[in-house]
Amino acid sequence: MDSFEQDGNGAAPDSLPPPPPVPPDVVPIKAEPEPAKKKVVRVPMARRGLGSKGQKITLLTNHFKVNVGSSDGHFFHYCVSLYYEDGRPVDGKGVGRKVIERVQETYGNELAGKDFAYDGEKSLFTVGALPNNKHEFTVVLEDVTSNRNNGNASPDVHDDSNGQDRKRIKRPYQSKTFKVEISFAAKIPMQAIQNALRGQESENSQEALRVLDIILRQHAAKQGCLLVRQSFFQNNPDNFTDIGGGVLGCRGFHSSFRASQGGLSLNIDVSTTMIIRPGPVVDFLLANQNARDPYSLDWTKAKRSLKNLRIKVSPSNQEYKITGLSEQLCKDQLFSLKQKSMKNDNGEAENLQITVYDYFVNHRNIQLRYSADLPCINVGKPKRPTYIPLELCSLVSLQRYTKALTTFQRASLVEKSRQKPQERMTVLSSALQRSNYGAEPMLRSCGVSISTNFTQVEGRVLPAPRLKVGNGEDFFPRNGRWNFNNKKLVEPTKIERWAVVNFSARCDTNSLVRDLIRCGDMKGIRIDPPFDVFQESNQNRRCSPLVRVEKMFEDIQSKLPGAPQFLLCLLPDRKNSDLYGPWKKKNLSEFGIVTQCMAPTRVNDQYLTNLLLKINAKLGGLNSMLAIEQTPSIPVVSKVPTIILGMDVSHGSPGQSDIPSIAAVVSSRQWPLISRYRASVRTQSPKLEMIDSLFKKVSDKEDEGIMREVLLDFYTSSGKRKPDQIIIFRDGVSESQFNQVLNIELDQVIEACKFLDESWNPKFVVIVAQKNHHTKFFQQGSPDNVPPGTVIDNKICHPKNNDFYLCAHAGMIGTTRPTHYHVLLDQIGFSADDLQELVHSLSYVYQRSTTAISVVAPICYAHLAASQVGTFMKFEDTSETSSSHGGVTAPGAISVPQLPRLKENVCNSMFFC
């Protein structure tokens, strides 16, 4: 195994002599390039068989059977281009649907009375062809500002310093002329849908299903819904719920057509999005900033949160888009008003400088109660502002809120949008009936009918794995749960050199320490008395988080003889304390100290036992393990050295485009165990979904990638054995990215293996886990969620590919969300039962809780590691991490700030627990 320590690159040949000169009468023959080795492109594997283990159970699922009558016709795809009268392309979204509707009304005969499926942007589909390959039309629309404002409206007040008086013209409507080009792009056989159901997927079959999805989106758009990808939301206040900060949760429905083993089905689910609270702008701002009155608002913040929102203005009821705020208050903000009655020497109308307040109150006779001392809303263009007093502006309904939610908003949204299984079924049934898809002309013309019954599927309930706890005891989880009452941990640690650090949390530290030692003793963890309790001094409390952590460490270093093994840190706030990131970074990357944070609010024995589970795992202990790990008798995995990886990339929230994404790879160690893990975390370009640092060759002998780190740790922790089998669990990729995982990421992993040892050929299994899909399962005639361990691999699964759904956990609240596992590659040759059982077992090795979890532990750990190390970044000097300074950089060329590496003594620990 020396090859693991040496470089497998082979030495470069000695430099060769120069080639001989070519004689003058010889014409050299051009050497044909050797045909390049064709790279094999991997595609997701086909299903090899179905599982049979477990107790059978009949379930219902929210897939509704779709019958497609005609399969011999064609969808025709046309490109749509829209232009204003002067030839400028139309850029604003939202106007497209109105224009195309008007085209249909006006030119029905020229279009042979065809119905359209239009996506609102560039694509339009018909069943059968239009009369010509290219059509050009001109249409006129009245009042185009009603949906989005293109800045061509005539608003209430113009700062009209540059001539023509448009302000006083009271046009009730503004008509606008559009030129429309509809040109043929492609022909899609409907037969492609039938082919997909037989497992022959193609570009055509994906496009054909896309057409069906677009028909449903258009159906919703005609009813005035907000469309968000495959979901739609009606403007019905019954579906709104306030989650704080001027944001509402809005309940709607997701719908998508899916090809499955049982035929074509329509998947319908309840879906929630966030919208801005409609109504007076001032009410939104007060809620958004949690302010007492309009005079204590932060207007810089207000300007950011209002930009691009749409408002209705009273009394005209016109709709505009907010472009900004006025520089001055309403009573001071001047603009030029043309006076028709006053002419200057050249016979032109005189300009009168007047305040916005004066204009509205004295010229328009509109009473203003509170706007005089507040800025105005600007709905004009940069060079031509248009000011409207705040109290005349109301936010239009159904405008998406896309910024990151606070912890409290998220908690409120989750709590208010959860539904019990029966309630969800009722809501879905009535939504499907109300939608009246049977009357949709486009669906009728392609012979599509949708059943109103939930599809029945057969599931199997796998038995829970047997666990080992302390004193050699066995333990059988019941209903996906267990506890440590009167039991010891399977491998408890000792806590010897430790201290308590208190950042001004209100707490009786002496009794806390006493209770912790007592609870530890009951679980088999021996805890010595702490070396000291460090209380934060009063004057440090007002410093910045970074300084508070620095000062605390100075205090610790001055009093402790050496680095402690462990620090228990008491924080003053529950959830997002701004001390957390700097504290973790200091401990893990500068000192290599294991640390546990807690907010000592409701502390009881159960809380302390859960805390000790985390501490024990971080310090190298194990709380429980699988019985088949100890014997070891895990099918396939226990026979030859096997490493299990969990991979995930987490991105900043949608509003933050230049925050680096964070890739985490968690790997098992000490084979044949599958309960111990370590994590490697790296930053990469913002929003990049593929992990780009698995293999990073920096010279002929050096690879700084994640995989080298992972493989060397496995080798040293598993008795100098290389893994012959590598099982990869990948989270957070959609079906469109499966091929990239198989060809880009897996290639990097293979290269990293070859770089360590050219002759080493491990076998791979690649499994993608998806949680954000819309398939749910229900027990027929029971109010309960499906039992933990329920697996489904038939009927609604993919017609050809190897996928299955697993609900490993007990759904206590709301409706269980199953995890959808896609087996993309299996070179080891698992049977369906063995693989499903391995995935099920990996839901029982999570050290932080005494429950089965909903997705395999390595993926859960990858989330935890990414988010914990991600908090290191939040407090760095942001100027270095933002791309806005120092001129323009090419896309993807932003230098991504690197994360600090963890110290050797903690980098292989379960610090993320």
Side-chain angles (χ1 to χ4, degrees):
M1 181 50 212
D2 313 337
S3 48
F4 238 59
E5 280 86 19
Q6 70 171 33
D7 151 45
N9 282 308
D14 296 334
S15 51
L16 299 167
V22 179
D25 54 341
V26 174
V27 180
I29 301 166
K30 183 166 179 271
E32 288 297 316
E34 277 186 38
K37 270 193 192 165
K38 260 202 87 179
K39 192 173 167 312
V40 181
V41 176
R42 302 183 193 94
V43 294
M45 67 177 285
R47 184 185 305 282
R48 293 188 185 139
L50 299 173
S52 59
K53 280 193 177 165
Q55 181 125 25
K56 290 190 171 37
I57 181 173
T58 302
L59 302 168
L60 295 176
T61 176
N62 58 340
H63 285 234
F64 298 86
K65 188 155 180 49
V66 177
N67 286 313
V68 185
S70 62
S71 60
D72 46 0
H74 286 82
F75 289 122
F76 281 74
H77 178 189
Y78 295 88
C79 274
V80 176
S81 306
L82 303 179
Y83 303 94
Y84 295 115
E85 213 169 356
D86 59 6
R88 281 179 308 133
V90 173
D91 50 358
K93 288 182 183 173
V95 75
R97 287 191 193 275
K98 289 204 170 106
V99 172
I100 293 296
E101 253 173 64
R102 181 53 55 90
V103 165
Q104 273 185 293
E105 289 164 18
T106 319
Y107 299 100
N109 294 339
E110 288 90 326
L111 295 163
K114 286 269 181 215
D115 290 306
F116 290 170
Y118 176 51
D119 72 352
E121 299 197 13
K122 299 247 185 301
S123 294
L124 183 150
F125 300 88
T126 56
V127 177
L130 292 175
N132 301 316
N133 272 353
K134 188 160 186 180
H135 290 269
E136 292 191 7
F137 303 111
T138 304
V139 291
V140 177
L141 280 192
E142 285 78 39
D143 190 21
V144 285
T145 56
S146 72
N147 195 357
R148 304 279 164 102
N149 177 27
N150 289 322
N152 297 23
S154 77
D156 293 270
V157 178
H158 266 303
D159 181 0
D160 201 345
S161 341
N162 29 343
Q164 0 63 339
D165 175 18
R166 288 173 49 203
K167 164 188 36 52
R168 309 301 299 273
I169 309 169
K170 285 276 170 285
R171 275 182 294 180
Y173 287 111
Q174 297 192 290
S175 58
K176 212 161 201 201
T177 304
F178 293 91
K179 285 194 284 205
V180 184
E181 286 177 12
I182 297 176
S183 41
F184 173 77
K187 185 174 163 185
I188 306 155
M190 289 189 197
Q191 182 60 42
I193 296 177
Q194 303 300 336
N195 296 349
L197 299 176
R198 288 198 294 274
Q200 299 160 356
E201 272 192 296
S202 63
E203 195 118 329
N204 270 341
S205 64
Q206 285 164 356
E207 275 295 282
L209 292 180
R210 187 167 89 96
V211 178
L212 295 181
D213 283 333
I214 287 170
I215 295 172
L216 295 197
R217 280 174 62 84
Q218 176 176 278
H219 185 77
K222 283 182 175 162
Q223 298 164 1
C225 292
L226 161 69
L227 304 181
V228 182
R229 293 185 297 278
Q230 295 290 109
S231 299
F232 32 86
F233 304 89
Q234 287 172 324
N235 188 11
N236 176 356
D238 293 351
N239 298 336
F240 301 165
T241 169
D242 196 326
I243 61 166
V247 183
L248 306 181
C250 174
R251 201 177 72 190
F253 297 96
H254 161 94
S255 72
S256 60
F257 286 95
R258 306 197 60 87
S260 65
Q261 293 167 24
L264 189 62
S265 65
L266 178 64
N267 176 207
I268 299 185
D269 194 20
V270 177
S271 169
T272 306
T273 192
M274 282 77 66
I275 59 170
I276 300 276
R277 182 155 99 191
V281 169
V282 71
D283 292 353
F284 164 71
L285 290 175
L286 292 174
N288 186 248
Q289 298 188 18
N290 197 11
R292 286 188 317 282
D293 55 57
Y295 307 105
S296 47
L297 287 167
D298 171 342
W299 292 102
T300 318
K301 224 180 197 173
K303 186 174 172 179
R304 271 206 311 271
S305 56
L306 291 176
K307 189 146 171 67
N308 292 333
L309 293 180
R310 301 195 316 280
I311 53 168
K312 264 205 165 70
V313 173
S314 71
S316 67
N317 226 15
Q318 274 274 34
E319 200 174 293
Y320 306 111
K321 192 192 229 169
I322 299 177
T323 52
L325 298 173
S326 60
E327 294 293 317
Q328 290 166 301
L329 304 179
C330 184
K331 64 179 187 197
D332 304 325
Q333 181 68 53
L334 291 165
F335 72 100
S336 306
L337 178 63
K338 288 233 158 48
Q339 294 294 87
K340 287 272 165 49
S341 53
M342 296 162 62
K343 299 271 171 50
N344 63 12
D345 301 346
N346 304 336
E348 293 168 354
E350 282 278 341
N351 272 358
L352 174 69
Q353 288 294 310
I354 182 174
T355 66
V356 176
Y357 182 80
D358 190 10
Y359 169 75
F360 275 88
V361 173
N362 299 327
H363 287 249
R364 300 270 305 269
N365 293 323
I366 295 171
Q367 288 311 304
L368 297 178
R369 296 196 333 277
Y370 59 81
S371 297
D373 296 308
L374 303 172
C376 305
I377 299 277
N378 179 8
V379 295
K381 292 186 161 173
K383 292 264 168 25
R384 234 184 109 89
T386 300
Y387 299 122
I388 302 169
L390 193 66
E391 68 192 77
L392 302 182
C393 303
S394 273
L395 289 159
V396 173
S397 192
L398 291 187
Q399 301 191 71
R400 281 184 76 197
Y401 178 80
T402 52
K403 298 184 177 64
L405 294 181
T406 64
T407 316
F408 301 110
Q409 284 174 323
R410 183 171 289 118
S412 173
L413 181 69
V414 168
E415 186 188 341
K416 290 175 176 172
S417 57
R418 63 167 78 114
Q419 292 171 307
K420 285 270 175 226
Q422 292 305 88
E423 184 192 350
R424 188 169 286 239
M425 284 181 82
T426 312
V427 168
L428 292 178
S429 282
S430 65
L432 187 55
Q433 262 133 20
R434 268 204 318 277
S435 66
N436 195 14
Y437 287 141
E440 169 59 50
M442 277 294 287
L443 289 180
R444 292 171 74 158
S445 58
C446 45
V448 166
S449 62
I450 299 165
S451 155
T452 51
N453 297 327
F454 286 76
T455 297
Q456 192 171 314
V457 294
E458 186 177 85
R460 291 170 289 112
V461 183
L462 302 177
R466 188 160 51 106
L467 299 180
K468 282 279 180 200
V469 291
N471 297 338
E473 279 186 70
D474 278 4
F475 200 75
F476 287 96
R478 292 182 48 186
N479 195 27
R481 313 172 74 76
W482 62 98
N483 63 49
F484 278 110
N485 296 348
N486 313 320
K487 292 187 178 52
K488 300 256 193 287
L489 306 183
V490 69
E491 283 183 24
T493 49
K494 288 195 195 76
I495 305 178
E496 292 162 333
R497 303 183 318 283
W498 72 289
V500 180
V501 170
N502 184 9
F503 281 104
S504 309
R506 285 204 291 278
C507 169
D508 174 355
T509 45
N510 288 338
S511 72
L512 175 71
V513 166
R514 210 170 40 243
D515 290 344
L516 192 70
I517 291 173
R518 178 175 52 79
C519 287
D521 187 51
M522 283 155 54
K523 299 290 149 259
I525 301 174
R526 206 189 81 218
I527 306 175
D528 290 350
F531 184 89
D532 205 342
V533 175
F534 296 92
Q535 302 281 2
E536 184 174 40
S537 68
N538 275 346
Q539 69 259 38
N540 289 350
R541 277 169 74 167
R542 292 181 208 29
C543 299
S544 73
L546 280 166
V547 172
R548 290 173 72 179
V549 168
E550 282 295 332
K551 299 254 192 224
M552 185 62 86
F553 256 92
E554 285 166 17
D555 195 18
I556 295 170
Q557 281 175 295
S558 67
K559 293 187 184 150
L560 288 187
Q565 174 198 10
F566 170 69
L567 287 175
L568 179 66
C569 171
L570 311 183
L571 295 174
D573 329 285
R574 278 184 71 215
K575 303 276 187 257
N576 45 3
S577 164
D578 50 8
L579 289 159
Y580 183 88
W583 174 255
K584 286 286 183 188
K585 181 180 174 194
K586 195 86 177 153
N587 278 275
L588 296 172
S589 69
E590 290 181 36
F591 290 98
I593 298 169
V594 172
T595 168
Q596 176 62 51
C597 294
M598 64 179 281
T601 39
R602 296 187 292 275
V603 176
N604 54 23
D605 280 12
Q606 187 184 355
Y607 178 96
L608 292 173
T609 302
N610 285 340
L611 198 71
L612 284 161
L613 295 182
K614 286 155 63 69
I615 294 169
N616 190 50
K618 287 177 182 182
L619 288 170
L622 269 183
N623 303 327
S624 59
M625 65 199 296
L626 301 171
I628 50 173
E629 246 178 309
Q630 210 176 32
T631 35
S633 55
I634 308 165
V636 188
V637 173
S638 297
K639 291 194 174 61
V640 289
T642 304
I643 187 171
I644 296 175
L645 306 177
M647 299 185 180
D648 180 45
V649 176
S650 60
H651 307 291
S653 62
Q656 308 164 306
S657 55
D658 56 357
I659 293 212
S661 292
I662 296 180
V665 176
V666 160
S667 55
S668 63
R669 47 204 314 268
Q670 295 181 11
W671 177 82
L673 291 184
I674 58 170
S675 286
R676 279 192 203 280
Y677 293 86
R678 69 179 300 282
S680 290
V681 184
R682 306 276 173 95
T683 47
Q684 57 184 37
S685 303
K687 306 281 180 273
L688 176 67
E689 189 47 73
M690 291 299 120
I691 302 178
D692 68 357
S693 49
L694 293 168
F695 176 60
K696 263 213 158 82
K697 185 173 166 183
V698 286
S699 73
D700 279 353
K701 300 204 169 166
E702 277 180 288
D703 160 20
E704 289 182 352
I706 294 178
M707 281 311 301
R708 180 186 180 88
E709 207 179 288
V710 158
L711 293 167
L712 290 175
D713 172 73
F714 181 89
Y715 179 69
T716 50
S717 70
S718 305
K720 299 228 160 167
R721 293 189 190 85
K722 282 180 296 186
D724 291 324
Q725 300 178 152
I726 298 180
I727 300 175
I728 298 172
F729 286 96
R730 178 67 161 91
D731 188 33
V733 290
S734 61
E735 284 169 58
S736 60
Q737 296 165 316
F738 286 179
N739 287 350
Q740 287 173 285
V741 170
L742 276 177
N743 294 290
I744 300 172
E745 284 187 346
L746 183 57
D747 273 358
Q748 280 194 56
V749 173
I750 292 169
E751 277 189 81
C753 295
K754 292 284 182 203
F755 196 81
L756 278 166
D757 178 356
E758 190 59 48
S759 61
W760 173 36
N761 290 308
K763 290 180 174 166
F764 289 93
V765 172
V766 179
I767 302 174
V768 168
Q770 286 178 337
K771 294 263 330 220
N772 53 352
H773 55 82
H774 284 276
T775 297
K776 301 282 192 299
F777 297 104
F778 306 91
Q779 289 200 63
Q780 209 162 357
S782 159
D784 297 332
N785 269 308
V786 298
T790 301
V791 65
I792 294 98
D793 60 4
N794 60 60
K795 203 150 185 183
I796 60 151
C797 291
H798 195 279
K800 180 176 121 213
N801 297 353
N802 189 358
D803 65 329
F804 61 92
Y805 292 90
L806 174 66
C807 305
H809 64 302
M812 305 307 287
I813 44 183
T815 306
T816 298
R817 177 180 293 193
T819 299
H820 191 182
Y821 291 100
H822 302 259
V823 185
L824 303 188
L825 177 71
D826 174 11
Q827 297 175 336
I828 295 172
F830 273 97
S831 70
D833 278 326
D834 282 349
L835 193 59
Q836 288 168 13
E837 207 149 0
L838 174 67
V839 170
H840 186 224
S841 296
L842 283 169
S843 307
Y844 278 83
V845 300
Y846 187 60
Q847 297 297 309
R848 285 168 41 122
S849 73
T850 55
T851 60
I853 52 173
S854 63
V855 66
V856 290
I859 280 182
C860 244
Y861 289 148
H863 284 295
L864 290 172
S867 62
Q868 183 169 136
V869 178
T871 61
F872 291 12
M873 304 275 295
K874 281 189 195 152
F875 302 91
E876 302 295 298
D877 177 22
T878 45
S879 65
E880 287 173 25
T881 60
S882 87
S883 57
S884 54
H885 67 113
V888 180
T889 43
I894 301 168
S895 66
V896 177
Q898 294 304 305
L899 287 166
R901 292 297 168 93
L902 304 189
K903 281 280 196 235
E904 290 82 66
N905 50 339
V906 287
C907 75
N908 293 329
S909 75
M910 289 177 64
F911 68 85
F912 40 79
C913 255

